[in-house]
Amino acid sequence: MTITPLMPVYPRSPVRPVRGEGVYLFGEKGEKYLDFASGIAVNLLGHGHPVLTKAIQEQAATLIHVSNLYGSPQGEALAKRLVDMTFADTVFFTNSGAEAVEASIKTARRYHHHHGRPEKHTLITFSNAFHGRTMATISATDQAKLRDGFAPLLPGFAVVEFDNLEAARKAVTEHTAGFLVEPIQGEGGIRPASQEFMRGLRELCDEHDLMLVLDEVQCGLARTGKFFAYEHYGIEPDILASAKGIGGGFPLGACLATEKAAAGMVVGTHGSTYGGNPLAMAAGEAVLDVVANDEFLEHVRLMGDRLRGALEQMIPNHDHLFESVRGIGLMLGIRMKTDSRAFVGYLREHGILTVAAGDNVLRVLPPLVIEESHVTEFVERLSEAARRYELPQQAA
Ligand SMILES: *Cc1c(COP(=O)(O)O)cnc(C)c1O
């Protein structure tokens, strides 16, 4: 037998973390890493944050899980906080991002079904999108690497070019249920949609009574310096999928919706055994306790400006490697002139964790609790690594 006990679907790196402390991770032999990947935009509070740790410890000792057969004071409390802070009137809790997107897709379809228009079932989605790895969420993207070998995929998705409002407008038919879009593409390479595009989609939805469904699994929850990224665009969605940062590392996702959009989601239409369990709710509350206030969001914006500024200053010194910086807040990407995946591997060997993304982008996704000293350390070490890095093709 050659297959490994862990199903070999990931190209796992030699980094084997066993402990975390703030912005640092430690490997099995005590190796220290500066973590500017945050478990792929998840660990907003870094590692071992006392507020999150205490909340989980106390809740674990009190009540972990009971199912959704019973009333949920914990779920009601967290849902109320999310409703108070956002466009939404109601929340469905999930355990992951893909499940939050699934719930969002179902809510959008069910809206039209509820109003006697079951033929309006198709969501218009966008090139290079990433919405997760379930059958519906891989059907919602045009990325071959996510879809290959899993046919037949689900019908009901039409993919058009990202950030192209005209293409989106032309794709609307009598079967359209709405749009599903990441305001800032994450896996696709830290690509923020333009103001015109996002506002245009909102107008199209208003005009044709369509659902604007935002996938803010990666860009949401304080990462861009706003609570959710839609706030940068001066619009509000009908439905929004959140996950990643919302649990600070504890598996938690949420589908947020307006009362209008959730019209079809009545008793019996959806469910989850674990979704909204008391332990996950405690983690979600702890994350909000830290991030859901103006001072914290201001800190994210300030650190984002510092980091971006420092990166922009560094780039001309290594212009054989780096092209430009893009993104918002602490969701940043450096477009590279060489294979970003190989360079991310090189940084890893030198104790710096980042994440590769599509379009040759190196993603910089630090915990939101970083301080100036971490920004300085990161940029100095990145610059030093760039100076030493030999392009793979030159090495031959
Ligand atoms: C990570 C991600 C998902 C999927 O989340 P999982 O928790 O891995 O299921 C969906 N959408 C976006 C934009 C993501 O970044």
Side-chain angles (χ1 to χ4, degrees):
M1 203 157 49
T2 54
I3 196 162
T4 47
L6 263 183
M7 195 181 276
V9 293
Y10 281 105
R12 291 176 187 275
S13 79
V15 176
R16 297 166 66 84
V18 291
R19 188 169 70 79
E21 213 180 286
V23 184
Y24 298 93
L25 278 175
F26 298 88
E28 286 172 309
K29 299 186 187 92
E31 319 90 301
K32 185 176 179 183
Y33 300 93
L34 177 63
D35 184 9
F36 268 42
S38 306
I40 317 185
V42 169
N43 305 294
L44 302 190
L45 313 183
H47 304 284
H49 193 286
V51 173
L52 182 59
T53 304
K54 180 161 176 276
I56 291 174
Q57 281 174 339
E58 286 183 0
Q59 189 60 47
T62 306
L63 187 66
I64 292 178
H65 170 86
V66 294
S67 89
N68 287 303
L69 297 174
Y70 312 110
S72 175
Q74 306 86 359
E76 285 166 10
L78 184 58
K80 172 89 169 50
R81 285 179 77 175
L82 290 169
V83 163
D84 286 346
M85 282 187 294
T86 66
F87 75 99
D89 302 310
T90 190
V91 181
F92 180 87
F93 289 113
T94 70
N95 315 291
S96 69
E99 283 173 89
V101 178
E102 288 267 349
S104 302
I105 294 167
K106 288 177 75 174
T107 302
R109 284 193 181 175
R110 190 86 192 176
Y111 167 77
H112 294 291
H113 169 91
H114 174 81
H115 290 292
R117 304 185 296 259
E119 74 284 359
K120 293 176 92 59
H121 45 53
T122 293
L123 283 167
I124 295 169
T125 64
F126 298 92
S127 51
N128 282 310
F130 182 82
H131 297 298
R133 298 290 203 141
T134 61
M135 286 305 301
T137 54
I138 63 172
S139 303
T141 176
D142 62 351
Q143 292 201 56
K145 66 176 188 214
L146 304 178
R147 300 164 57 118
D148 274 1
F150 295 112
L153 299 178
L154 264 64
F157 299 96
V159 185
V160 303
E161 194 191 356
F162 179 66
D163 212 22
N164 182 337
L165 184 58
E166 208 35 52
R169 177 178 292 125
K170 284 201 187 117
V172 175
T173 71
E174 71 273 22
H175 296 300
T176 304
F179 299 99
L180 167 61
V181 62
E182 297 160 86
I184 305 166
Q185 287 193 337
E187 302 301 311
I190 312 291
R191 279 191 268 212
S194 66
Q195 293 284 330
E196 303 72 54
F197 180 69
M198 292 301 292
R199 289 182 188 182
L201 291 185
R202 179 69 268 172
E203 280 165 22
L204 282 173
C205 287
D206 293 341
E207 207 175 303
H208 301 283
D209 193 13
L210 306 175
M211 294 282 105
L212 181 58
V213 185
L214 299 186
D215 181 346
E216 292 220 18
V217 169
Q218 190 159 154
C219 62
L221 231 99
R223 179 146 294 275
T224 65
K226 300 269 190 195
F227 192 57
F228 280 116
Y230 69 79
E231 296 168 42
H232 291 286
Y233 294 93
I235 55 147
E236 290 190 336
D238 301 289
I239 303 168
L240 179 148
S242 175
K244 290 204 164 94
I246 194 173
F250 194 89
L252 173 61
C255 166
L256 284 66
T258 62
E259 181 168 19
K260 177 188 167 189
M265 301 306 282
V266 298
V267 171
T269 52
H270 196 44
S272 164
T273 298
Y274 294 132
N277 67 78
L279 190 54
M281 298 299 95
E285 292 266 11
V287 169
L288 290 192
D289 286 345
V290 179
V291 310
N293 58 79
D294 288 339
E295 300 91 274
F296 190 85
L297 294 173
E298 180 56 36
H299 173 78
V300 175
R301 291 194 288 269
L302 184 68
M303 289 302 117
D305 287 349
R306 292 285 150 83
L307 181 53
R308 193 195 184 103
L311 290 172
E312 276 168 352
Q313 250 187 348
M314 178 208 70
I315 281 180
N317 303 335
H318 308 285
D319 59 1
H320 63 300
L321 283 184
F322 306 131
E323 192 177 288
S324 55
V325 188
R326 59 200 195 192
I328 308 180
L330 287 173
M331 184 175 185
L332 295 175
I334 306 174
R335 179 106 203 281
M336 296 197 61
K337 293 178 179 169
T338 170
D339 178 22
S340 67
R341 220 156 281 277
F343 188 64
V344 164
Y346 181 81
L347 290 178
R348 207 158 48 210
E349 286 165 25
H350 292 79
I352 308 165
L353 305 183
T354 57
V355 203
D359 201 28
N360 259 330
V361 163
L362 179 154
R363 266 182 292 178
V364 185
L365 303 166
L368 306 185
V369 294
I370 54 166
E371 298 294 339
E372 294 235 31
S373 61
H374 304 117
V375 171
T376 307
E377 180 185 347
F378 176 74
V379 178
E380 276 175 5
R381 291 176 66 181
L382 179 68
S383 187
E384 173 67 12
R387 204 170 56 74
R388 293 177 179 218
Y389 186 61
E390 286 180 43
L391 293 176
Q393 58 268 34
Q394 290 176 343

